[in-house]
Amino acid sequence: MEFDINASDGATIITVQAARIDAAVAIRFKDLMQEATDGLDGRIILDLTQVDFIDSSGLGAIVASMKQLQPGQKLELASLNTNVDKVFRLTRMDTVFPIHNDIRTAVSSHAG
Amino acid sequence: MTGSGTLHLTFPSSPLSVRRALQTVVTDLQGFDLEERGTVELVLAEALNNVAEHAYGAGDRGWISLDCTKEPDGLHFRIRDEGRPMPDGVAPMGDPAPLPEALEAMPEGGFGWFLIRDLSRDVCYSRQGDVNELTFRMRIGGAEAGL
């Protein structure tokens, strides 16, 4: 698993370059998030375009990543496919994270 | 399940072996739609990861066996292992916990059994000698299984 990190209009976009966030990579995901978000300020948008499967361990790792954020940082999610979106809805985590349909709307939703 | 309508797999209790087993099952379900395959993969992932992480535990490896049979009322699954029994001999109810207001208190786990119970039917756990057996059914496959 690797991340691609880009700054855009005052937000940082972290693109997960993996098809799965599951039990096999949950700890690595959490560590990579800690590393990637260290020192950032403001909105952090997690781009899940490439992710087609997430299990409860992966969901737990995203929640843990949110809990380890520093003051002034905010985690949002974008581009969830049907199966990933379903896990967030069933566990009601869709009420905890701002979720955007895609990166473009995520970035523009707060711009200006 | 292709052809005979049954699938049997036996594999070690490591996260990567569980991942490969899931891929085998999902590949075998090509006739179902994407969302149904995703639901099966999710429920199986939760059940199999529970075995790997709790029945055996990180430092302990063993075998997991998985049977899947296609019946008129859906897909029937049976998962067996030789790990530790469930606490108190019963599978967790998996009730959804109310989400707390405070982010620091947000749970990072405990969703697995909720998802299994929410997305499957006839969940049954039993301990037979040194073997754990979990069976459940998933109502997928369109009208045929929609009873």
Side-chain angles (χ1 to χ4, degrees):
Chain A
M1 171 178 287
E2 282 181 28
F3 289 170
D4 186 33
I5 303 168
N6 290 292
S8 174
D9 279 340
T12 305
I13 299 166
I14 299 181
T15 303
V16 179
Q17 295 187 312
R20 306 172 73 86
I21 307 177
D22 63 8
V25 295
I27 292 172
R28 175 158 170 77
F29 175 87
K30 195 171 143 181
D31 290 347
L32 281 173
M33 278 296 281
Q34 180 122 50
E35 214 173 277
T37 58
D38 187 40
L40 294 178
D41 191 36
R43 301 174 69 208
I44 297 164
I45 303 168
L46 192 64
D47 173 11
L48 298 176
T49 307
Q50 295 177 40
V51 178
D52 54 39
F53 181 79
I54 186 168
D55 63 13
S56 68
S57 302
L59 178 70
I62 293 179
V63 174
S65 300
M66 176 192 66
K67 288 164 69 173
Q68 72 194 4
L69 292 178
Q70 291 144 16
Q73 297 180 332
K74 185 184 178 209
L75 184 62
E76 303 175 24
L77 310 178
S79 209
L80 280 61
N81 85 13
T82 307
N83 289 322
V84 173
D85 184 60
K86 185 172 185 171
V87 174
F88 278 85
R89 276 189 292 107
L90 288 171
T91 58
R92 290 181 299 134
M93 280 295 164
D94 60 342
T95 64
V96 174
F97 294 93
I99 296 180
H100 306 280
N101 284 343
D102 53 57
I103 279 295
R104 199 180 308 165
T105 53
V107 171
S108 66
S109 73
H110 283 238
Chain B
M1 273 146 293
T2 317
S4 65
T6 64
L7 175 71
H8 174 78
L9 298 172
T10 302
F11 46 93
S13 64
S14 74
L16 287 173
S17 299
V18 166
R19 201 191 253 192
R20 276 195 293 272
L22 293 173
Q23 278 158 355
T24 302
V25 174
V26 169
T27 303
D28 213 69
L29 295 175
Q30 287 306 323
F32 297 94
D33 71 35
L34 192 68
E35 193 170 348
E36 288 181 322
R37 291 205 303 273
T39 304
V40 169
E41 183 170 14
L42 177 61
V43 171
L44 279 181
E46 300 304 337
L48 297 173
N49 285 329
N50 279 340
V51 172
E53 290 167 18
H54 301 298
Y56 289 114
D60 203 3
R61 286 283 164 86
W63 292 94
I64 304 177
S65 103
L66 168 67
D67 292 282
C68 175
T69 311
K70 193 178 173 197
E71 303 277 0
D73 63 351
L75 292 174
H76 289 242
F77 294 94
R78 182 174 75 156
I79 296 169
R80 307 179 87 206
D81 67 79
E82 296 178 336
R84 287 182 289 276
M86 293 274 186
D88 304 321
V90 292
M93 284 312 296
D95 294 327
L99 294 179
E101 290 286 319
L103 290 186
E104 312 83 65
M106 204 58 70
E108 293 170 33
F111 301 113
W113 271 101
F114 166 71
L115 292 170
I116 294 170
R117 300 242 186 221
D118 195 54
L119 297 170
S120 67
R121 299 284 178 275
D122 306 338
V123 177
C124 178
Y125 166 78
S126 64
R127 179 81 175 177
Q128 299 167 357
D130 292 333
V131 176
N132 293 312
E133 181 176 287
L134 179 71
T135 57
F136 55 90
R137 172 171 69 94
M138 296 190 69
R139 293 193 310 177
I140 71 164
E144 191 186 21
L147 298 173

